[in-house]
Amino acid sequence: MKLRHVTSARQFDIKTLQDLFAFTDKIKSGKYNNKALSGKIMATLFYQPSTRTRFSFESAILKLGGSTISSENAAEFSSAIKGETMQDTIRIVDSYADVIVIRHPQSGITDLAASYSKVPVINAGDGVGEHPTQALLDLYTIFEKKKTKEFTIAICGDHAHYRPHHSLSYLLSLYPKIKIIYVSPKRLSMPKELREHLKKKKIHFVETEDFTSSIKEADVIYQGRIPKEYLGAQYKKYLGKFILDKRALSSIKKNAIIMHPLPRVNEITPDVDSDPRAIYFEEARNGLYVRMALLLSIL
Ligand code: NCD
């Protein structure tokens, strides 16, 4: 599959992932030292805060010889504040850049952007929608560590609003031997569309509020932030419901891996960081290599 716009994890198939991850391996091991994107310009338009995603995308293109033009606070520092629409912004920026990376609070907006853009558009998080490149680096990290496509993953937190859970689920649904345990308070369970998708693909999944027994069973524990920005006053009610702390480490599998897209609030306490099963900082580092491979594939 030739990659152009990347707006949803739903667009990927197994072969495309295999190729992308093989390329990522090569880059990570230092065997790819080509400034293949020299002369290419990436625009990053971020209407929501970001540390890992924007820096890793920018670092990725710089390492490949390209350059970046950036609005780290596009809501305030682009013409959006004057009332310019996304359509118009894209029709301007696509003349200045070879690829546009967008993070925005409105779900679905990168599809709209892609429909207007002459150059590839990448979704770096669209509201409560998706975060496909996060899912790519997560799945790459899981396969790298577990070396199998048959495992149980416990995804914990807010499945209603937390976009990394949505995109990761879509990628996981390509692999029939994976079991997914969705741990969340009932009110924060997954969107209907995702549940329907998993059923259609005959994925083995369960939904539960039982954090303690789920993490015991899991080969991969995937924690997520409770996103305050979408929950308003209810936020405090859910904060601190599922905390993985040092005490919990004795109950999980010896060869489990503990992941988190980061930033964390209190879902994983800092005393877990030194445990060899805690791989979230390595996961974030893999974001650089996966995004390098993705940019190379697209451009
Ligand atoms: C995530 C995001 O923005 O969706 N962050 C990230 O890119 N690693 C998770 C979050 O919002 O906390």
Side-chain angles (χ1 to χ4, degrees):
M1 187 178 99
K2 174 83 185 96
L3 285 171
R4 185 168 154 76
H5 303 295
V6 176
T7 60
S8 167
R10 273 171 278 193
Q11 28 180 131
F12 289 89
D13 55 31
I14 291 181
K15 175 72 173 63
T16 309
L17 292 175
Q18 267 168 358
D19 293 347
L20 188 74
F21 293 165
F23 203 5
T24 305
D25 280 336
K26 199 168 160 189
I27 293 169
K28 187 170 180 181
S29 67
K31 289 190 195 116
Y32 185 91
N33 283 314
N34 193 331
K35 301 281 182 224
L37 298 187
S38 148
K40 298 284 185 196
I41 296 177
M42 177 183 76
T44 53
L45 277 175
F46 277 58
Y47 298 80
Q48 283 184 313
S50 168
T51 304
R52 279 148 289 273
T53 307
R54 191 171 61 86
F55 281 148
S56 64
F57 261 116
E58 296 192 355
S59 178
I61 194 130
L62 293 171
K63 279 178 182 286
L64 293 166
S67 351
T68 173
I69 51 176
S70 178
S71 187
E72 59 173 354
N73 182 356
E76 242 180 89
F77 298 142
S78 77
S79 287
I81 198 145
K82 301 180 189 167
E84 185 169 64
T85 60
M86 178 59 86
Q87 291 90 315
D88 284 359
T89 302
I90 291 300
R91 285 188 281 203
I92 299 305
V93 177
D94 72 1
S95 320
Y96 306 153
D98 300 287
V99 56
I100 306 175
V101 182
I102 302 174
R103 170 169 288 185
H104 196 281
Q106 191 180 322
S107 153
I109 200 152
T110 58
D111 286 308
L112 175 82
S115 71
Y116 280 87
S117 178
K118 291 199 292 286
V119 302
V121 166
I122 302 177
N123 179 359
D126 61 335
V128 298
E130 281 212 49
H131 193 352
T133 66
Q134 177 68 43
L136 291 173
L137 73 93
D138 289 336
L139 192 66
Y140 173 80
T141 307
I142 295 171
F143 288 166
E144 181 189 38
K145 294 287 172 192
K146 301 308 294 178
K147 300 193 174 18
T148 168
K149 293 173 178 61
E150 191 171 348
F151 53 81
T152 297
I153 176 169
I155 306 182
C156 318
D158 175 357
H159 310 312
H161 307 99
Y162 195 63
R163 57 199 176 201
H165 291 180
H166 302 160
S167 293
L168 181 59
S169 300
Y170 284 118
L171 289 191
L172 292 171
S173 75
L174 292 168
Y175 301 90
K177 293 195 171 143
I178 293 173
K179 175 182 173 189
I180 313 176
I181 308 172
Y182 288 98
V183 187
S184 78
K186 269 209 175 61
R187 296 270 309 271
L188 303 182
S189 65
M190 71 178 89
K192 193 165 159 245
E193 192 188 0
L194 175 57
R195 192 175 295 106
E196 294 301 314
H197 173 86
L198 296 172
K199 283 187 186 156
K200 204 170 116 203
K201 302 280 273 181
K202 299 196 166 53
I203 296 304
H204 184 187
F205 72 96
V206 291
E207 299 183 79
T208 173
E209 297 197 53
D210 185 351
F211 180 70
T212 312
S213 53
S214 302
I215 59 170
K216 268 186 210 160
E217 186 189 337
D219 305 298
V220 180
I221 299 167
Y222 190 94
Q223 282 281 64
R225 186 174 66 90
I226 301 292
K228 155 161 102 188
E229 61 275 35
Y230 303 115
L231 286 168
Q234 290 179 44
Y235 170 64
K236 286 222 170 78
K237 198 162 99 197
Y238 300 120
L239 187 71
K241 255 193 131 33
F242 307 128
I243 295 183
L244 187 78
D245 56 14
K246 197 157 183 147
R247 246 177 345 138
L249 287 177
S250 57
S251 72
I252 70 171
K253 287 187 177 174
K254 287 206 163 47
N255 61 351
I257 51 174
I258 304 166
M259 301 178 68
H260 193 308
L262 303 176
R264 63 177 153 180
V265 178
N266 61 0
E267 308 81 39
I268 301 175
T269 55
D271 55 11
V272 171
D273 297 354
S274 57
D275 190 281
R277 292 167 290 185
I279 59 157
Y280 26 90
F281 292 112
E282 198 177 339
E283 176 189 350
R285 261 198 306 283
N286 279 341
L288 170 67
Y289 307 119
V290 170
R291 289 179 174 121
M292 285 171 78
L294 186 70
L295 288 171
L296 282 162
S297 309
I298 291 174
L299 294 174

